[in-house]
């Protein structure tokens, strides 16, 4: 089977690009959305463009980039109270919400464990917010621990929690990532990258060409 290609994005350009990307072979998107409050969005992202991200999510759904996954990072004292609100919104919109622990990936070394909202705290916040959660069957190679959200008549959706810091999953991870500037990474925490863009521009064979020669 051909590999399914997904893209992680802030969603700002998806209103105009979701359909062309789907036509080009993109299978699905992960869209970053940490808050539904306009002022908090501007505080976290340094830009007042929450409306554009929501439009991008709508465009991705319309283009069939399913399932549309929403990645939310909670930061203590900033948006950590929004977990139930985000989940209610995601269930209503028909998108898959995943909470990701705040990871130390910042080049400026500003990350502090004091701001980390743990996977256990996220799940407790959802329960306090009125949600009944049931563990889903095995995670396999997925980085996300998935939970079934139960309504009065049965399951009404799912929510994922990626505990990269407090619940590491390195032994089962099978993810590979290509950065926007053509660098291949086998892990988000990797200290080195492989420059695929330079290789391709120098004439290296593309995977499709290699398959045709086999």
């Amino acid at each position: 089977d051909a590999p399914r290609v997904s893209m992680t994005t802030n969603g700002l350009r998806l209103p105009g690009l979701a359909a062309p990307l789907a036509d080009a072979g993109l299978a699905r998107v992960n869209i970053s959305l940490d808050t539904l409050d306009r002022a908090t969005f501007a505080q976290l992202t340094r830009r007042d463009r929450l409306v554009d991200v929501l439009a991008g999510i709508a465009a991705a759904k319309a283009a069939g980039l399913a399932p549309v996954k929403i990645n939310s990072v909670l930061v203590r004292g900033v948006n950590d109270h929004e977990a139930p609100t985000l989940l209610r919104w995601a269930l209503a919109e028909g998108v898959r919400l995943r909470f990701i622990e705040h990871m130390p990936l910042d080049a400026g070394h500003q990350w502090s464990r004091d701001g980390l909202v743990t996977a256990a705290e996220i799940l407790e916040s959802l329960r306090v917010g009125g949600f009944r959660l049931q563990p889903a069957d095995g995670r396999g190679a997925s980085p996300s621990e998935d939970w079934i959200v139960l309504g009065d008549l049965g399951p009404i959706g799912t929510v994922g929690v990626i505990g990269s810091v407090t619940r590491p999953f390195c032994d089962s991870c099978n993810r590979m990532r290509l950065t926007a500037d053509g660098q291949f990474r086998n892990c988000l925490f990797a200290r080195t990258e492989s420059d695929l863009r330079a290789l391709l521009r120098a004439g290296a064979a593309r995977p499709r060409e290699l398959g045709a020669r086999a």
Side-chain angles (χ1 to χ4, degrees), residues 10 30-37 41 50-61 68-72 82-99 126 131 149 156 158-159:
N10 60 19
N30 301 329
I31 302 173
S32 299
L33 180 66
D34 304 322
T35 177
L36 293 170
D37 180 82
F41 184 92
L50 174 60
V51 172
D52 298 311
V53 176
L54 295 176
I57 293 169
K61 291 166 58 180
V68 174
K69 295 185 178 182
I70 305 299
N71 293 339
S72 294
E82 290 194 59
T85 301
L86 285 162
L87 181 52
R88 279 190 288 270
W89 168 84
L91 293 171
E93 289 292 321
V95 296
R96 294 188 186 178
L97 178 64
R98 301 185 304 177
F99 291 102
L126 293 175
F131 289 101
V149 184
I156 58 174
T158 62
V159 62

Side-chain angles (χ1 to χ4, degrees), residues 115-196:
L116 171 67
V117 182
T118 68
E121 289 175 312
I122 293 168
L123 291 169
E124 180 61 20
S125 175
L126 293 175
R127 294 188 179 102
V128 170
F131 289 101
R132 290 188 293 133
L133 305 176
Q134 173 183 301
D137 293 335
R139 67 192 294 175
S142 171
S144 175
E145 291 182 72
D146 290 335
W147 298 78
I148 299 169
V149 184
L150 299 174
D152 293 336
L153 301 178
I156 58 174
T158 62
V159 62
V161 179
I162 301 177
S164 305
V165 178
T166 66
R167 301 183 182 182
F169 44 85
C170 300
D171 58 344
S172 62
C173 180
N174 67 352
R175 296 303 197 263
M176 297 179 291
R177 290 174 170 82
L178 186 65
T179 68
D181 59 352
Q183 305 299 308
F184 173 82
R185 298 177 68 95
N186 63 359
C187 176
L188 285 175
F189 290 100
R191 295 177 179 270
T192 60
E193 300 174 328
S194 298
D195 190 350
L196 297 189

Side-chain angles (χ1 to χ4, degrees), residues 199-200 202-210 213:
L199 289 172
L200 290 172
R206 291 169 171 78
R208 189 173 298 174
E209 296 170 355
L210 290 173
R213 297 175 191 172

